[in-house]
Amino acid sequence: MAKNLVIVESPAKAKTIKRYLGSDYQVMPSVGHVVDLPKSKLGVDIEHNFAPDFVTIKGKEKVLSEIKSAAKGKDNVYLASDPDREGEAIAWHISEHLGKTKSKVSRVLLHEITSAAVKEAVANPSKLDRHLFDAYQARRVLDRLVGYKLSPLLWEKVKRGISAGRVQSVALRIIVDREREREAFRAEEYWTLDARLTGKNPPPFKARLYSYKDNRIDNKAYKLPEAQAREIIAAVEKAPFTVKSVERKEVRRSPAPPFITSRLQQEASRKLYYQPRRTMQIAQKLYEGVELGEEGAVGLITYMRTDSPRVSDQALESVRNHIGSRYGKEYVPEQPNQYKSSKQSQGAHEAIRPTAVERDPESIARFLDKDMLALYTLIYNRFVSSQMMPAVYDRTTVDIESADAIFRATGQVMKFDGFMRVYIEGQDEPGEDEEGTLPLLNEGEVLTLLGLDPEQHFTQPPPRYTQATLIKVLEEQGIGRPSTYAAIMTSILRVEYVEEDESKRMRPTSLGRVVNDMLVKAFPDILESSFTAQFEEDLDKVEEGTENWVKTMKRFYGPFAKDLADAKKKMPEVKHKGLATDLKCELDGGDMVIKWGRNGEFLACSNYPKCTNTGEIARDDQGNITLKPSAPAPTDEVCEKCGKPMVKRRSRFGEFLGCSGYPDCDGIKRLQSDPVKTGVACPECKEGEILERRSRRGKIFYGCGRYPKCKFAAWNKVVPQPCPSCGANYMVEKDLKRTGITWQCANKECGYKAPAPVVAQVEPAPASTPPA
């Protein structure tokens, strides 16, 4: 019988660690948090120092019972959940549920899951960190107060079912502010002028107008107008082009540091086109362990939620030896490259790096799927390059004089590739900012003009944010932490405050604008990025033990409670009235307003219910709203009522077929949408795939794709996730009044239940308006 119990978060991690520790250790997964604040009420006792009422998560009673049973008779219980605030909270709550026990309960921090690292961590356990747990409590309680106090207010004033969140709402404000910048932007014309030249030595080259009459032309502080461009052309066409100066100097370019969480998400977006959530899901698998044939399951990277570029001495020594043996000693710096951490950085964590530099991507490629290999390669190459010598260039700058104008040409030649032999950052891919080579030129040399190329340009508005660029802004402003970035992105898209265009750039919906504007006006402090950043710093102080978490909460809650009381009285109501526009109803001349339904925003006449006119919204890049043309599309269907052709129409509930004789005939017919694949095998016939279909009355259900040969059907949403308890190939989602949205095992004999995963940092709208 095993003498020791190790508790981790995930089954995959448990499997990997069990193989390292052997028969003296039993390893069990908690499958995430075991307790949380209740969904049906606030769960925070504001009058008694904001005491949280943590309750066992539905479906986790069995997990806790099994952990308690397993702990009996053990010499040691090691709590090895993730090495961050969330992991510390899981460890703390499990410890509390174990109660008084003869076993010695210790905390184990696993920054990487390899045999040596796991054995060393277990051999050197630590105590539970009260300060780290208090930082978690403060963050969780504040997010609950913001979410459960503001969400009901938004339900009452705007739309039921929407939500607000401490970080989510600040991220939304950043997106809305950028959109308004774009709408206020007015393009300005400017011109550039290139001269095509040749000298005594080939090849021909280009030089760009740099200054005119001693005035620098950079098209930023001063934009070259067309009239002046024509004036300069007329002047230089008649004048010689003479080399005024030639400057040659050596330029060194240093490598980028190894990845931290935000940089990994940004670079994976640029190079691999992965959204942050996808990046973190793949990184989680690489961290927890991958089967490498006879070697078994091995964690391939260090912990992926970090804001520190620190690297252990052992890893530095290993990568320097690897670089020297593979690329040559000239690529190894005399001393290891050191990188500074941000002031918010958690120094205990390392950067994201391979756990063993000997496992290069080529040697393990056959064990990884396409996505895992791509991300591992990115992490591996970035880490190796971070400890290589700088790249060295010879850069030449040539100023060429003609009349009163100076043209400048630049070129560079690589002398030593250094780190660029292994890795180049996404925004610096070859071809994006590489300068060409120049011929040998000498001061005083007269050049031959081959032609002048004037080109018209227009200034561009600031670009919309992608998920990756928004994460960069959040990081720069100190908003959020590594574990929250991906969740923030998911949140603002899930609540339909933001939509992504074809290029995956985010623009706010009308609902997002309304919610943002109302919150900014009512809660100016909370919606300031500086407030959110300051609270993150306060949490760091709580974690360090220099700040009391209750005092932190009291500083926040006083002003918040006052603003909340004022907002309940003064915040305008748009839920029924709608959001005013400049459009008029084409039927009765009333004002058209924006409202929100099950299928998103739509235009409706303000004289409803007397006038039921509705329509789709069209919005241009300046934010101007128009009624989308709704000319019905003809079909081959015939109206069952009058025999006239049916046409395709659209309402706020989606597309449908309507009689072309409307309003004389009101015949309609629902459109049957194509079934959606779930990727889950049918539990009855084992051959077909479960498909998401729509019934004749428009209700979604799930049925076997082999119908009518197989008649399996179910109303509950199919979740293509294996049951963590019995391993069934899928679960079902149910919306229960008491507990909210719940995932349940499809195997009724199993009985596993758990709340559907909730996105961090954003409180879900409560099941009912919680008491004040």
Side-chain angles (χ1 to χ4, degrees):
M1 180 179 175
K3 298 178 181 178
N4 307 287
L5 175 64
V6 180
I7 302 169
V8 296
E9 288 186 45
S10 76
K13 193 190 297 186
K15 181 181 178 182
T16 306
I17 292 173
K18 171 61 180 172
R19 193 175 59 81
Y20 294 149
L21 294 178
S23 59
D24 278 346
Y25 293 82
Q26 180 181 357
V27 185
M28 298 182 66
S30 69
V31 196
H33 284 277
V34 292
V35 305
D36 197 6
L37 296 175
K39 290 181 176 293
S40 58
K41 60 181 182 178
L42 184 64
V44 176
D45 190 344
I46 297 170
E47 302 300 325
H48 294 85
N49 292 330
F50 304 93
D53 177 23
F54 288 115
V55 298
T56 303
I57 296 171
K58 195 168 182 65
K60 289 300 180 73
E61 298 91 345
K62 183 179 179 182
V63 173
L64 281 172
S65 176
E66 291 174 348
I67 289 175
K68 277 186 175 182
S69 297
K72 290 179 180 178
K74 295 292 192 295
D75 294 341
N76 295 285
V77 175
Y78 298 106
L79 303 172
S81 45
D82 287 349
D84 55 17
R85 290 174 190 163
E86 297 284 330
E88 195 68 26
I90 292 171
W92 196 276
H93 289 141
I94 290 175
S95 175
E96 287 182 335
H97 275 75
L98 288 176
K100 291 184 178 180
T101 176
K102 294 180 180 179
S103 305
K104 182 179 180 182
V105 180
S106 305
R107 181 79 166 104
V108 169
L109 301 177
L110 299 175
H111 296 286
E112 59 182 86
I113 302 177
T114 59
S115 179
V118 169
K119 289 175 181 177
E120 182 180 356
V122 170
N124 298 280
S126 58
K127 294 181 180 180
L128 287 166
D129 189 334
R130 178 78 211 194
H131 299 314
L132 193 59
F133 176 63
D134 283 346
Y136 164 82
Q137 286 195 122
R139 197 274 302 164
R140 189 73 186 94
V141 167
L142 178 60
D143 287 346
R144 172 54 63 102
L145 291 175
V146 172
Y148 271 44
K149 293 290 186 180
L150 293 190
S151 294
L153 180 65
L154 293 177
W155 288 12
E156 177 187 343
K157 303 291 187 179
V158 185
K159 178 189 174 185
R160 187 169 181 82
I162 60 177
S163 65
R166 176 176 61 91
V167 179
Q168 166 198 317
S169 298
V170 175
L172 174 62
R173 181 178 186 177
I174 293 172
I175 294 171
V176 172
D177 288 348
R178 172 55 59 90
E179 193 67 20
R180 291 201 165 117
E181 281 184 63
R182 289 174 56 82
E183 292 167 1
F185 177 82
R186 296 296 176 265
E188 295 182 58
E189 180 191 44
Y190 69 95
W191 287 72
T192 56
L193 180 59
D194 290 344
R196 286 179 282 114
L197 303 163
T198 186
K200 296 177 183 177
N201 301 300
F205 64 97
K206 279 188 177 184
R208 174 155 292 186
L209 179 66
Y210 178 74
S211 66
Y212 183 62
K213 293 182 178 179
D214 296 326
N215 292 320
R216 170 77 186 276
I217 297 171
D218 59 6
N219 290 317
K220 293 179 181 177
Y222 177 77
K223 295 178 176 62
L224 181 67
E226 180 181 11
Q228 191 172 38
R230 300 298 177 193
E231 175 189 330
I232 296 170
I233 290 172
V236 301
E237 279 181 328
K238 303 173 183 177
F241 281 74
T242 306
V243 176
K244 181 181 180 183
S245 65
V246 179
E247 180 184 348
R248 297 183 178 91
K249 64 178 180 179
E250 185 179 274
V251 178
R252 299 170 71 85
R253 179 174 167 187
S254 298
F259 282 128
I260 58 176
T261 303
S262 59
R263 297 292 196 275
L264 174 62
Q265 292 172 356
Q266 293 162 39
E267 196 76 342
S269 175
R270 280 194 294 257
K271 286 197 167 189
L272 306 178
Y273 307 103
Y274 293 170
Q275 296 290 42
R277 184 179 181 84
R278 183 181 177 191
T279 298
M280 297 309 290
Q281 288 172 339
I282 300 167
Q284 182 86 32
K285 294 177 183 177
L286 293 172
Y287 163 70
E288 291 185 346
V290 178
E291 289 287 343
L292 300 182
E294 294 180 359
E295 194 176 355
V298 178
L300 295 180
I301 64 170
T302 52
Y303 192 54
M304 64 284 162
R305 294 186 181 93
T306 175
D307 50 11
S308 170
R310 186 181 70 82
V311 176
S312 69
D313 292 341
Q314 183 180 356
L316 284 176
E317 182 181 356
S318 177
V319 72
R320 285 168 60 84
N321 290 335
H322 170 79
I323 294 168
S325 62
R326 184 159 184 173
Y327 302 106
K329 292 183 179 179
E330 66 273 21
Y331 286 88
V332 184
E334 187 174 336
Q335 297 294 328
N337 294 331
Q338 301 292 334
Y339 298 97
K340 291 184 178 180
S341 302
S342 66
K343 64 178 182 179
Q344 298 94 0
S345 172
Q346 305 292 309
H349 289 180
E350 279 195 65
I352 305 170
R353 61 168 177 82
T355 54
V357 75
E358 295 78 19
R359 294 192 194 95
D360 58 60
E362 297 81 9
S363 66
I364 61 173
R366 65 187 185 279
F367 302 113
L368 305 179
D369 63 32
K370 181 181 177 182
D371 289 347
M372 293 171 71
L373 178 61
L375 192 66
Y376 181 71
T377 302
L378 197 70
I379 294 168
Y380 184 94
N381 289 345
R382 174 79 164 225
F383 172 62
V384 172
S385 71
S386 72
Q387 289 301 321
M388 295 177 73
M389 289 289 290
V392 182
Y393 295 89
D394 272 339
R395 176 171 291 172
T396 303
T397 302
V398 181
D399 283 353
I400 300 157
E401 192 172 31
S402 180
D404 292 321
I406 299 292
F407 290 78
R408 174 167 287 184
T410 58
Q412 63 183 21
V413 177
M414 182 181 286
K415 292 173 63 178
F416 177 63
D417 55 2
F419 75 93
M420 296 179 73
R421 182 167 176 180
V422 174
Y423 185 87
I424 306 173
E425 285 190 272
Q427 70 269 34
D428 297 325
E429 293 287 3
E432 290 194 15
D433 68 347
E434 289 287 320
E435 297 167 316
T437 57
L438 294 174
L440 181 62
L441 298 168
N442 298 300
E443 289 185 16
E445 181 178 345
V446 178
L447 307 174
T448 301
L449 177 65
L450 301 177
L452 292 165
D453 299 326
E455 187 175 354
Q456 182 188 39
H457 305 269
F458 291 93
T459 55
Q460 298 297 310
R464 293 189 178 104
Y465 293 110
T466 61
Q467 292 190 34
T469 56
L470 180 58
I471 285 173
K472 183 179 181 182
V473 172
L474 294 175
E475 181 198 18
E476 290 172 348
Q477 296 187 13
I479 300 168
R481 286 296 181 263
S483 62
T484 66
Y485 295 134
I488 294 167
M489 302 302 105
T490 302
S491 301
I492 57 179
L493 291 167
R494 178 175 57 86
V495 293
E496 297 181 354
Y497 292 159
V498 171
E499 59 189 7
E500 290 183 313
D501 60 20
E502 298 80 8
S503 59
K504 296 297 181 181
R505 294 188 176 274
M506 296 186 287
R507 63 184 293 173
T509 62
S510 59
L511 179 62
R513 287 172 179 257
V514 169
V515 169
N516 173 75
D517 294 349
M518 294 173 77
L519 290 178
V520 168
K521 187 174 181 179
F523 303 92
D525 294 336
I526 294 178
L527 270 291
E528 276 291 337
S529 58
S530 57
F531 168 86
T532 305
Q534 181 58 53
F535 189 77
E536 296 289 359
E537 290 185 17
D538 291 344
L539 290 181
D540 292 340
K541 291 177 182 177
V542 172
E543 184 173 325
E544 294 162 3
T546 60
E547 177 81 29
N548 180 274
W549 80 273
V550 176
K551 289 182 179 179
T552 300
M553 292 303 307
K554 287 180 177 179
R555 281 200 306 271
F556 155 79
Y557 192 72
F560 174 70
K562 181 179 181 300
D563 288 343
L564 184 65
D566 291 342
K568 289 179 179 178
K569 299 175 183 177
K570 300 177 182 178
M571 184 179 281
E573 190 272 332
V574 298
K575 183 176 182 179
H576 299 102
K577 295 179 181 178
L579 182 65
T581 71
D582 296 330
L583 301 176
K584 295 293 182 181
C585 176
E586 57 189 10
L587 298 184
D588 70 352
D591 295 329
M592 296 295 281
V593 295
I594 299 175
K595 289 191 174 184
W596 300 276
R598 287 182 297 179
N599 289 327
E601 62 183 11
F602 64 98
L603 286 168
C605 181
S606 57
N607 293 328
Y608 178 84
K610 291 181 179 180
C611 178
T612 58
N613 184 29
T614 62
E616 283 191 86
I617 294 174
R619 198 189 301 272
D620 62 22
D621 280 343
Q622 278 67 50
N624 300 314
I625 293 173
T626 57
L627 185 64
K628 184 178 287 187
S630 57
T635 71
D636 295 331
E637 297 279 342
V638 175
C639 178
E640 295 178 356
K641 283 190 174 184
C642 69
K644 290 184 178 180
M646 302 284 278
V647 292
K648 188 181 290 186
R649 300 181 184 274
R650 187 174 180 84
S651 73
R652 57 176 170 158
F653 301 109
E655 287 189 336
F656 67 98
L657 294 180
C659 181
S660 59
Y662 179 83
D664 296 329
C665 176
D666 60 359
I668 63 170
K669 184 177 181 181
R670 290 191 177 275
L671 283 172
Q672 293 295 323
S673 57
D674 293 333
V676 178
K677 295 182 178 181
T678 65
V680 175
C682 174
E684 286 192 7
C685 70
K686 312 295 183 185
E687 297 179 20
E689 178 183 353
I690 298 179
L691 304 178
E692 179 185 304
R693 299 180 182 273
R694 193 175 290 274
S695 70
R696 291 180 180 179
R697 295 188 177 184
K699 190 173 181 180
I700 291 176
F701 74 97
Y702 297 82
C704 180
R706 296 180 68 239
Y707 179 85
K709 291 183 179 179
C710 176
K711 296 184 178 181
F712 168 80
W715 291 111
N716 293 317
K717 181 179 179 180
V718 169
V719 180
Q721 295 280 351
C723 173
S725 179
C726 73
N729 66 334
Y730 75 99
M731 292 188 282
V732 295
E733 183 175 290
K734 294 185 178 182
D735 192 352
L736 305 178
K737 290 183 179 180
R738 290 188 177 182
T739 58
I741 298 176
T742 303
W743 283 6
Q744 300 183 8
C745 181
N747 178 10
K748 294 181 180 180
E749 296 178 1
C750 172
Y752 172 82
K753 295 180 182 179
V758 177
V759 180
Q761 290 286 344
V762 180
E763 282 291 352
S768 60
T769 304

